Amino acid sequence: MEAAGGQRGVPRDSGGAQRRSPLDVIMSQIRRKRTASDRKPLGRFLSWSSERTRIPEDGESEAREDRGQRGQSSGVIKAAEEERDSGWGRVRVFLQRLGKKADSSVLSVSHCDLTATDLLELATLLQFLPQLEDVDVSWNELIGGCLTTLTSHLHHVGGVRSLRLCSCRLSVDDITGLGEALSCVPFLEVLDLSWNSGIGSRGLQALLGKLLPPLREIHLVACQLTAADAAALGGKLSSLPRLCVLDVSCNPQLTQEVEGGDFRELAASLSHATSLTTLRLQACGLTPDCLDALGGSLRYLPSVRELDVSCNRAVSGGLNLLTFHLAHLTQLEILDVHLCCLTHADLEALIQVLPALTALTELDVSSNKEAGGVVHPLVSALPLTQMKRLPLNSCSLNQESLTALAQIVPSLLGVDVSWCKAVGGRSSLILDTLQPSVIAELRLSSCDLTTDDLLHLASVCRRGCLSSLKILDLSYNSSVGDEGWSTLFEAGGLGSLEDLDLSLRPLTSASCSAWLPALLQALPTLTVLTRLSAQRWTMGSQERQQLSQRVRKRKLLLEFDPEIKDVTSSCKRTNQQRAEE
């Protein structure tokens, strides 16, 4: 009898176990000997056996298990990719709303009028920017007081190397929070907190202790730093061995002696910053005593390439206390002492040390009236062939000065003799020495230029000597006639020009109708022009429409005064009405 629930025709052994047929035994041996890649064809060829006995081929269960694991892991990867893509999409949408382009390594949202809500949204997006290196949130004054919203998420972007937060109205709490978050960005090299008045006093001193050794640049321009801040900053310099740039310009209280601090402590501590290459102390209220203290540290700073002590009027008569030590700066390339009320004695002391500054390429003595009388010895002491910039604007130049300046002009990248009335009628002394493919900047503002000066400039353009010129400033020269302007624009040769200023002085105006057609004709050849300023020049509505059509599809900033013509016409109508009455 058949056992209950048993299967008919299936042989069993004495123990009741199901017996395998001889064919099943042979097939099992064959499967064990064959590789996985060889099994499938044979399995298909003899599939009837497997299906009949329900015996799975060797490795089939493992393959199914592997496929399941691979499917699961691929699903996880796909989900992660989708999340990443959706996160990057959010970043792109956020930046597009601000008129910015998305970049995985650079985040620039400066000048975007960010609000506290925007800052919160930006902070939540940092997790989708793991490769971020440069962050610029400058010039967003509405985020002051809530910076911790952003700094609390900096751990998502630990590779950041540059952080700029200029003019954000940062508070003491903001600076404190930033200091606590700096440990999350251990590779930070550039920190710019300029134009934040809340940093002065307690703010800076709370931050200094958190700065890390990799830091290479510190920018604290116009932060209302005090002498106590100067002393605290000086005490930190020894722990920043890689510091290259220190900019504390526009902090006039930095040198005002108070209890608990003195600028001289910072000046003395500079001797520890042996890697320093750039030191900017513009408009810091420096005095001769400050220069003396600063000079004592210069011998320990052989790497300095840029030194800026400009806009410090109180150093007048004491520059020799600094120039005596300048010879130690053998790699100095840029020296800026403009607007320092330098005396004749100051300039003589400077001229004496110039031969020792063999690496010098830029010297700015502009806005020092006495400089106009020493141009010849000044030029003679400079390394003529390597000089790139020597601005002499507002220096009371005379014909002898212009003749001496002409010796160095051929090598200069920029020539600035603005606000020097002696240039008018004598511009050929400078223009005839310009070399093709060298000069990039020419500033002749308020020089009493004449029509003949513009005609000579036009001839220089035709010779190709201004083919590399990028900036041309001819503003405040109302003595130039229409012929001069027309001839200049008809001459050509200004294909590299990016910035052109033709503005008239305030409270004056004149019609540009006579030379505007020449300008309109020249505009197609000025393919890289990005700014055209012609303030206080008047034109008719039809001429204005023609100008607008010519620049309609170009990224060209036009600086005209549309209201001048309206005001003039209104005055004429008023006068006519009064005459009729």
Side-chain angles (χ1 to χ4, degrees):
M1 295 180 62
E2 295 180 6
Q7 291 181 345
R8 186 176 299 168
V10 179
R12 299 179 179 271
D13 58 14
S14 58
Q18 177 178 333
R19 288 187 300 173
R20 301 174 64 185
S21 67
L23 181 59
D24 291 336
V25 175
I26 295 173
M27 290 300 303
S28 178
Q29 292 176 352
I30 292 175
R31 292 192 190 102
R32 281 195 294 268
K33 290 181 181 180
R34 297 183 63 82
T35 62
S37 60
D38 292 337
R39 292 173 194 159
K40 290 183 72 176
L42 184 61
R44 286 195 299 267
F45 182 70
L46 298 175
S47 58
W48 59 274
S49 173
S50 298
E51 293 174 356
R52 180 181 177 186
T53 58
R54 303 294 181 185
I55 301 174
E57 296 182 1
D58 292 347
E60 186 176 329
S61 60
E62 290 87 346
R64 281 198 297 266
E65 188 174 332
D66 289 344
R67 285 196 299 271
Q69 292 177 352
R70 285 197 300 269
Q72 184 177 3
S73 65
S74 64
V76 173
I77 294 174
K78 185 176 181 181
E81 290 178 348
E82 289 178 352
E83 182 179 0
R84 182 194 62 194
D85 293 341
S86 64
W88 177 244
R90 288 173 55 192
V91 172
R92 292 181 60 185
V93 170
F94 177 79
L95 293 176
Q96 286 174 359
R97 192 170 71 238
L98 300 174
K100 301 288 185 176
K101 292 184 179 180
D103 189 320
S104 60
S105 61
V106 178
L107 176 62
S108 177
V109 289
S110 61
H111 299 276
C112 287
D113 293 328
L114 296 182
T115 64
T117 304
D118 295 327
L119 195 66
L120 177 60
E121 183 178 358
L122 176 62
T124 61
L125 296 176
L126 292 183
Q127 59 182 310
F128 305 116
L129 296 168
Q131 299 178 355
L132 199 60
E133 295 184 358
D134 191 344
V135 178
D136 188 353
V137 196
S138 301
W139 306 100
N140 289 288
E141 297 186 348
L142 298 178
I143 67 174
C146 55
L147 186 66
T148 52
T149 302
L150 179 67
T151 56
S152 61
H153 289 75
L154 286 181
H155 60 277
H156 293 297
V157 287
V160 167
R161 298 181 181 274
S162 175
L163 179 59
R164 302 183 187 276
L165 296 164
C166 306
S167 189
C168 291
R169 292 192 178 183
L170 302 183
S171 64
V172 174
D173 291 339
D174 290 329
I175 301 302
T176 302
L178 173 61
E180 295 174 350
L182 286 182
S183 59
C184 299
V185 283
F187 304 106
L188 189 67
E189 298 180 351
V190 179
L191 180 61
D192 193 345
L193 302 174
S194 300
W195 306 100
N196 287 290
S197 58
I199 292 179
S201 189
R202 292 186 302 147
L204 179 63
Q205 296 176 38
L207 176 68
L208 289 175
K210 308 294 184 179
L211 300 181
L212 300 179
L215 199 62
R216 298 174 63 86
E217 297 185 20
I218 301 178
H219 301 266
L220 298 169
V221 179
C223 289
Q224 292 191 4
L225 303 184
T226 64
D229 293 324
L233 181 58
K236 183 63 179 179
L237 293 181
S238 59
S239 61
L240 299 174
R242 298 178 61 187
L243 188 65
C244 296
V245 178
L246 177 61
D247 190 351
V248 291
S249 299
C250 303
N251 287 289
Q253 298 179 2
L254 199 66
T255 55
Q256 296 179 6
E257 296 185 17
V258 295
E259 184 178 353
D262 191 345
F263 173 80
R264 286 174 292 189
E265 296 181 43
L266 172 60
S269 300
L270 288 173
S271 60
H272 300 295
T274 55
S275 298
L276 203 64
T277 61
T278 301
L279 177 60
R280 300 189 184 116
L281 298 167
Q282 182 188 98
C284 285
L286 299 182
T287 63
D289 288 341
C290 295
L291 293 186
D292 190 24
L294 179 61
S297 296
L298 293 185
R299 67 180 63 197
Y300 304 105
L301 304 175
S303 300
V304 169
R305 289 179 169 82
E306 178 182 347
L307 178 60
D308 185 352
V309 292
S310 62
C311 304
N312 288 289
R313 298 172 183 268
V315 304
S316 178
L319 188 65
N320 62 306
L321 297 174
L322 177 67
T323 56
F324 179 76
H325 301 280
L326 286 180
H328 296 292
L329 304 181
T330 56
Q331 299 185 46
L332 188 65
E333 299 175 359
I334 302 173
L335 177 60
D336 193 343
V337 290
H338 84 269
L339 197 59
C340 286
C341 296
L342 299 183
T343 64
H344 189 79
D346 290 329
L347 292 165
E348 286 185 337
L350 176 61
I351 291 171
Q352 289 178 3
V353 76
L354 287 180
L357 304 179
T358 55
L360 198 66
T361 60
E362 298 185 24
L363 174 62
D364 192 347
V365 294
S366 62
S367 299
N368 289 291
K369 292 184 177 181
E370 293 292 332
V374 296
V375 174
H376 187 275
L378 182 70
V379 170
S380 301
L382 291 171
L384 298 184
T385 56
Q386 68 185 42
M387 289 298 295
K388 301 303 179 185
R389 298 187 184 279
L390 181 63
L392 291 171
N393 50 293
S394 301
C395 284
S396 298
L397 301 180
N398 51 38
Q399 183 171 353
E400 182 182 353
S401 304
L402 294 174
T403 303
L405 179 60
Q407 301 176 34
I408 199 172
V409 166
S411 63
L412 297 180
L413 295 177
V415 174
D416 188 352
V417 289
S418 297
W419 301 92
C420 296
K421 307 304 181 184
V423 177
R426 303 181 183 90
S427 62
S428 58
L429 295 173
I430 302 297
L431 299 177
D432 288 343
T433 59
L434 297 177
Q435 297 298 311
S437 303
V438 176
I439 187 72
E441 181 178 336
L442 179 59
R443 297 185 182 274
L444 301 171
S445 177
S446 191
C447 286
D448 275 353
L449 298 182
T450 65
T451 300
D452 289 339
D453 290 319
L454 265 291
L455 295 177
H456 200 88
L457 179 60
S459 66
V460 173
C461 291
R462 281 191 289 268
R463 294 200 303 268
C465 295
L466 300 180
S467 58
S468 60
L469 193 68
K470 295 182 179 180
I471 300 175
L472 178 59
D473 186 355
L474 300 173
S475 60
Y476 296 4
N477 287 290
S478 56
S479 299
V480 176
D482 294 334
E483 180 187 2
W485 298 116
S486 297
T487 306
L488 175 63
F489 298 133
E490 293 169 353
L494 295 172
S496 300
L497 197 62
E498 299 176 1
D499 190 301
L500 176 61
D501 196 340
L502 311 170
S503 300
L504 296 175
R505 293 177 181 276
L507 305 180
T508 63
S509 64
S511 174
C512 64
S513 299
W515 53 264
L516 184 61
L519 174 61
L520 295 176
Q521 191 70 24
L523 280 177
T525 65
L526 304 177
T527 56
V528 295
L529 189 67
T530 57
R531 174 179 175 266
L532 172 60
S533 181
Q535 297 183 46
R536 290 167 289 281
W537 285 102
T538 62
M539 66 180 74
S541 58
Q542 185 176 359
E543 294 168 331
R544 190 176 301 278
Q545 185 177 3
Q546 291 176 351
L547 178 61
S548 300
Q549 290 177 348
R550 286 296 178 95
V551 301
R552 182 174 51 189
K553 297 182 179 180
R554 295 177 53 173
K555 294 182 178 180
L556 174 60
L557 175 61
L558 286 177
E559 295 181 357
F560 281 82
D561 292 328
E563 69 277 3
I564 287 182
K565 182 179 184 300
D566 297 335
V567 172
T568 304
S569 300
S570 177
C571 291
K572 289 181 178 179
R573 287 194 300 269
T574 302
N575 292 334
Q576 290 177 356
Q577 291 174 359
R578 288 177 179 175
E580 292 175 357
E581 292 175 356

